[in-house]
Amino acid sequence: MKKKDIGMISKMLMWGSVASVILSGIGYMGTDIWLASTQWLLVAAVLALFGVYLKL
Protein backbone atom coordinates (compact mmCIF):
# COMPACT_ATOMS: atom_id res chain seq x y z
CA MET A 1 0.00 0.00 0.00
CA LYS A 2 1.10 3.50 -0.72
CA LYS A 3 1.50 6.07 2.02
CA LYS A 4 -1.28 8.16 0.44
CA ASP A 5 -3.69 5.22 0.62
CA ILE A 6 -2.87 4.56 4.26
CA GLY A 7 -3.48 8.23 5.07
CA MET A 8 -6.87 8.06 3.36
CA ILE A 9 -7.83 4.90 5.25
CA SER A 10 -6.77 6.54 8.51
CA LYS A 11 -8.94 9.56 7.77
CA MET A 12 -11.92 7.35 6.90
CA LEU A 13 -11.52 5.44 10.18
CA MET A 14 -11.47 8.68 12.14
CA TRP A 15 -14.63 9.89 10.39
CA GLY A 16 -16.21 6.52 11.12
CA SER A 17 -15.36 7.09 14.75
CA VAL A 18 -17.08 10.49 14.69
CA ALA A 19 -20.14 8.94 13.04
CA SER A 20 -20.23 6.26 15.74
CA VAL A 21 -20.19 8.90 18.47
CA ILE A 22 -23.07 10.70 16.74
CA LEU A 23 -25.04 7.45 16.54
CA SER A 24 -24.30 6.89 20.21
CA GLY A 25 -25.73 10.31 21.01
CA ILE A 26 -28.86 9.53 19.00
CA GLY A 27 -29.19 6.26 20.89
CA TYR A 28 -28.82 8.09 24.19
CA MET A 29 -31.76 10.29 23.25
CA GLY A 30 -33.97 7.22 23.06
CA THR A 31 -33.79 5.58 19.64
CA ASP A 32 -31.13 2.90 19.32
CA ILE A 33 -29.92 2.41 15.77
CA TRP A 34 -28.80 -1.19 15.31
CA LEU A 35 -26.53 -1.12 18.40
CA ALA A 36 -26.91 0.28 21.89
CA SER A 37 -25.21 3.55 22.80
CA THR A 38 -22.41 1.93 24.76
CA GLN A 39 -21.66 -0.42 21.88
CA TRP A 40 -21.41 2.53 19.50
CA LEU A 41 -18.89 4.11 21.85
CA LEU A 42 -16.83 0.91 21.79
CA VAL A 43 -16.93 0.91 17.99
CA ALA A 44 -15.83 4.56 18.01
CA ALA A 45 -12.90 3.77 20.29
CA VAL A 46 -11.72 0.86 18.14
CA LEU A 47 -12.00 2.86 14.92
CA ALA A 48 -10.12 5.78 16.47
CA LEU A 49 -7.35 3.49 17.73
CA PHE A 50 -6.87 1.91 14.32
CA GLY A 51 -6.99 5.35 12.69
CA VAL A 52 -4.26 6.67 14.95
CA TYR A 53 -2.22 3.49 14.51
CA LEU A 54 -2.29 3.80 10.72
CA LYS A 55 -1.37 7.48 10.96
CA LEU A 56 1.85 6.53 12.75
Side-chain angles (χ1 to χ4, degrees):
M1 292 182 101
K2 296 179 183 175
K3 194 166 189 161
K4 180 182 174 185
D5 295 336
I6 292 174
M8 178 76 81
I9 293 170
S10 173
K11 194 174 285 191
M12 287 174 32
L13 288 170
M14 293 305 284
W15 278 111
S17 176
V18 170
S20 296
V21 169
I22 291 170
L23 288 172
S24 174
I26 292 170
Y28 175 74
M29 295 299 205
T31 304
D32 284 334
I33 300 174
W34 196 49
L35 295 174
S37 299
T38 53
Q39 292 169 330
W40 278 119
L41 289 176
L42 289 171
V43 169
V46 169
L47 289 175
L49 284 172
F50 276 114
V52 169
Y53 175 74
L54 285 177
K55 194 72 168 175
L56 297 176

